[in-house]
Amino acid sequence: MGGLLSSGEPLRGALRSARVPCLILCLGALSTAACRKPADTAPDAGAVAGEGDAGASAAEAPPAAGEPPAAAPPAWPPSDKPLLGITGFVATVYKEPRDTSKKLGYLRVGSRVPRAAEPAGTAGCPGGWYAIEPRGYLCVGEDATLDLDDPILKAAGPGPNLRTALPYRYGFVRSVLPLYLRVPTEAEQLKSEFKLAEHLKWFEENRATVQRVILGANDVPIDERGVPLPGKRIGELGLGKNSLELGEGALFGAEGEDDPIPFWLEGGKRHIRNISDFKVPDYAVFADRARRFTGLSFIGSFPTGPESLNRRFAITTDLRLAPTTKVKPDTGSPWHGVDLTRDLTLPLAFVRSRSARDVQLQGDKVVPGKELAHREVLPLTGRMRRVEGVKYYRTRDQRYVSQTDVGLVVAPSAWPEVAEKGEKWIEVSISHQTLVMWEGKRPVYATLVSTGQAGVADPRTTTATVRGVFRIRNKHITATMDSNESSSVGGRANTTADKPSRGAKPDKGGSAKQRSAKRSGGDAGKGAQDPKKPRKGDGEYGVTRRRGEGTYALKDVPYIQYFEAGYAIHAAYWHDVFGMPRSHGCINLSPIDAHRLFLWTEPSVPPGWHAINTGEEMGEGTTVIVHE
């Protein structure tokens, strides 16, 4: 298929097949968040032409640099209506005032949305079903309230920050930890955490090193569309502090280093109910543990005194407490793609190899030139030469680069129907590990991705990404996935029986894969690994082992957009290998790129909402075309 060149005649066939109408899909249930060369002559004639050819199909010119940017998605208009607040971790929005009607989306704890003055009914909901903006109904009860002074609303804070690439602060668990429900005493911590005294001694000796961060996703200046600002270097945030200037408290979500213990935790007690999905008696000190390598998200943190071992505790999005001595703050990848203008447009290439060099072609001889920076953007002329079966693309400064070193981004040789209609669409090339945002025939933005580890193999039996023409079926600002990118909100992929389920709901006991096997009484899948036993080659965390690798939870994965059951486009805050296959079937983007894409795709998530299902009520989702 076109814009991201996938060599061979099947490319043209894929584009022609893209002209069939797309099905509008809608996820039936929403709760917490899941995943998963032929002949090379014909496409080159139309996309990257042979030496001397200009190319048969050109994209419409993007705006010139400096032109006014497109407006950001509009916020919901101010309303003089009364508000409804969310007091459960999630509250489902229904199409009609009954819980058997269609689910339109959900809101998260702390959200406030305009509501009708009077309920539409009380069937199955004694507190009343209230219409909310822009549409749908919420039940007032355990998960929603009319009392805007409810302490849970105040405890949850303002919610995710959609003005930044990462909507929360994040960290990775370095040692198994309890998720406390209240500030624990010294005795309670020593009882709950194995060899805690040894750990605290190690932490104090190594704190400066192990809590160090680098400039990351939120340190890249962006505009209101989420587009990186040209001419601004990473860390140049004006009056705002970058990650290297923040203290440990702020890296875990605090306003400062000495934020007080929150009101709902004063006196060593918990003054609000437990809203996490791990239910325990009221007298419990903690609710569940977080395994090593788990990714956690935070909305605040605070220090304690000697009665609690002088430890800092970070507040998770579901209002539990993680001791930060066992969590490494993380800033995500600062990598991002490029905004396309008349000065920088297609064709272009991203350098994917870390050992790439440009070359000079002297007849049939290839002469290596200077080194190319990893992920460097190379504007191309649209001309190509082939030497000993290898394609070499000509850059605008009269050099050549090998197809083995770059990911190519070109205009299609044939336009899909959605482009002919002038609609937005997303194009993903598995072979080139690239993504392009299109508005009709005009390219808007291009970047590198990480698709399924199995490349272009059969997605029904491997970790390959599904290929075809789809529409975005639901959007989540954040949701929890396991480390295989599985979660309950994504539905289940159409896979063979021996492939681990992508749709198992995360809960308390082990991975989604293991729990699925326990329920069925069978094996967790071929090659299933007991997470309690170390695997050969796991390596050392932070050195040879990637963050987020293994079987554990990845909390609040940002900007998830499902386009097929079990397959989503989403941010990956746990790795920085964009441009290489990496995922279990989903399409991984850097946080900056995922944020940019999420704000651009249709429909927008209404203010105050956390997720929506697309379709008749909320609007049809943007088209996604995935090809080889």
Side-chain angles (χ1 to χ4, degrees), residues 50-264:
E51 188 70 56
D53 295 330
S57 179
E60 293 178 0
E67 289 187 9
W76 188 257
S79 174
D80 57 359
K81 294 182 180 179
L83 300 178
L84 178 151
I86 305 304
T87 53
F89 186 58
V90 295
T92 302
V93 183
Y94 294 91
K95 178 181 178 181
E96 300 170 4
R98 52 186 176 86
D99 62 8
T100 56
S101 68
K102 184 177 180 180
K103 297 173 182 178
L104 302 184
Y106 60 83
L107 282 66
R108 273 270 194 102
V109 62
S111 294
R112 297 166 175 80
V113 288
R115 62 169 174 88
E118 300 295 332
T122 58
C125 176
W129 290 98
Y130 284 82
I132 65 167
E133 293 185 353
R135 58 187 54 83
Y137 295 84
L138 273 168
C139 173
V140 167
E142 186 175 49
D143 294 336
T145 182
L146 306 183
D147 178 11
L148 299 184
D149 291 323
D150 189 293
I152 290 182
L153 292 180
K154 297 180 180 180
N161 185 356
L162 298 187
R163 298 184 301 276
T164 54
L166 287 171
Y168 301 110
R169 291 290 176 179
Y170 289 85
F172 287 90
V173 177
R174 63 162 60 91
S175 179
V176 177
L177 59 82
L179 289 166
Y180 291 105
L181 291 173
R182 54 179 173 79
V183 180
T185 65
E186 175 181 352
E188 288 168 336
Q189 293 177 60
L190 292 171
K191 182 179 179 180
S192 302
E193 300 181 54
F194 182 63
K195 293 186 177 180
L196 180 57
E198 294 179 23
H199 162 76
L200 293 177
K201 181 176 183 296
W202 169 87
F203 181 76
E204 286 307 317
E205 292 173 350
N206 295 277
R207 182 175 195 155
T209 300
V210 299
Q211 297 300 78
R212 183 183 301 147
V213 298
I214 61 173
L215 293 175
N218 286 358
D219 299 308
V220 175
I222 58 176
D223 65 17
E224 71 279 359
R225 301 169 298 157
V227 176
L229 293 171
K232 287 280 189 178
R233 294 181 299 177
I234 183 171
E236 291 185 349
L237 302 180
L239 298 178
K241 292 183 178 181
N242 64 41
S243 295
L244 300 183
E245 297 166 333
L246 294 176
E248 189 174 310
L251 290 173
F252 285 112
E255 292 185 7
E257 293 307 288
D258 298 309
D259 284 16
I261 293 176
F263 74 91
W264 50 278

Side-chain angles (χ1 to χ4, degrees), residues 216-451:
N218 286 358
D219 299 308
V220 175
I222 58 176
D223 65 17
E224 71 279 359
R225 301 169 298 157
V227 176
L229 293 171
K232 287 280 189 178
R233 294 181 299 177
I234 183 171
E236 291 185 349
L237 302 180
L239 298 178
K241 292 183 178 181
N242 64 41
S243 295
L244 300 183
E245 297 166 333
L246 294 176
E248 189 174 310
L251 290 173
F252 285 112
E255 292 185 7
E257 293 307 288
D258 298 309
D259 284 16
I261 293 176
F263 74 91
W264 50 278
L265 293 170
E266 289 176 347
K269 298 180 180 180
R270 184 180 178 95
H271 303 288
I272 59 175
R273 62 185 173 86
N274 171 25
I275 64 168
S276 77
D277 62 359
F278 196 95
K279 302 306 178 185
V280 293
D282 290 341
Y283 59 78
V285 177
F286 65 89
D288 205 5
R289 297 180 185 271
R291 295 178 58 197
R292 194 179 181 204
F293 309 121
T294 294
L296 296 178
S297 52
F298 305 109
I299 59 173
S301 72
F302 56 90
T304 61
E307 70 285 351
S308 294
L309 295 174
N310 296 303
R311 295 173 91 184
R312 175 178 292 277
F313 291 89
I315 306 169
T316 65
T317 54
D318 59 4
L319 304 181
R320 290 182 284 181
L321 306 178
T324 62
T325 64
K326 293 188 173 182
V327 183
K328 178 176 176 54
D330 195 86
T331 53
S333 170
W335 158 254
H336 59 80
V338 291
D339 202 37
L340 299 176
T341 67
R342 291 193 182 97
D343 298 324
L344 177 62
T345 189
L346 309 187
L348 60 81
F350 292 100
V351 177
R352 294 172 56 199
S353 171
R354 291 184 180 273
S355 58
R357 291 180 176 271
D358 61 25
V359 301
Q360 295 293 329
L361 300 183
Q362 300 174 0
D364 291 334
K365 185 177 181 182
V366 178
V367 180
K370 69 177 183 179
E371 292 184 0
L372 298 172
H374 182 228
R375 294 178 180 159
E376 181 179 352
V377 180
L378 302 174
L380 304 178
T381 65
R383 298 184 176 184
M384 180 272 294
R385 286 185 59 186
R386 194 189 310 269
V387 178
E388 296 182 349
V390 177
K391 299 174 190 175
Y392 292 89
Y393 307 118
R394 191 168 189 178
T395 66
R396 291 187 193 174
D397 56 0
Q398 310 308 309
R399 299 174 290 160
Y400 282 90
V401 291
S402 169
Q403 70 179 89
T404 61
D405 291 329
V406 300
L408 193 63
V409 188
V410 297
S413 56
W415 293 105
E417 182 179 12
V418 66
E420 297 286 1
K421 291 181 177 179
E423 298 177 4
K424 292 180 178 180
W425 57 292
I426 301 164
E427 184 184 15
V428 177
S429 167
I430 293 175
S431 295
H432 290 281
Q433 294 292 291
T434 46
L435 177 148
V436 181
M437 296 159 50
W438 293 89
E439 293 179 357
K441 298 180 181 179
R442 182 171 71 88
V444 173
Y445 194 88
T447 191
L448 291 170
V449 300
S450 289
T451 62

Side-chain angles (χ1 to χ4, degrees), residues 537-561:
D538 271 356
E540 181 183 350
Y541 172 61
V543 180
T544 59
R545 181 165 183 163
R546 291 177 183 147
R547 298 165 294 171
E549 188 173 350
T551 353
Y552 36 82
L554 295 165
K555 299 291 186 180
D556 283 310
V557 174
Y559 307 121
I560 301 172
Q561 304 187 74

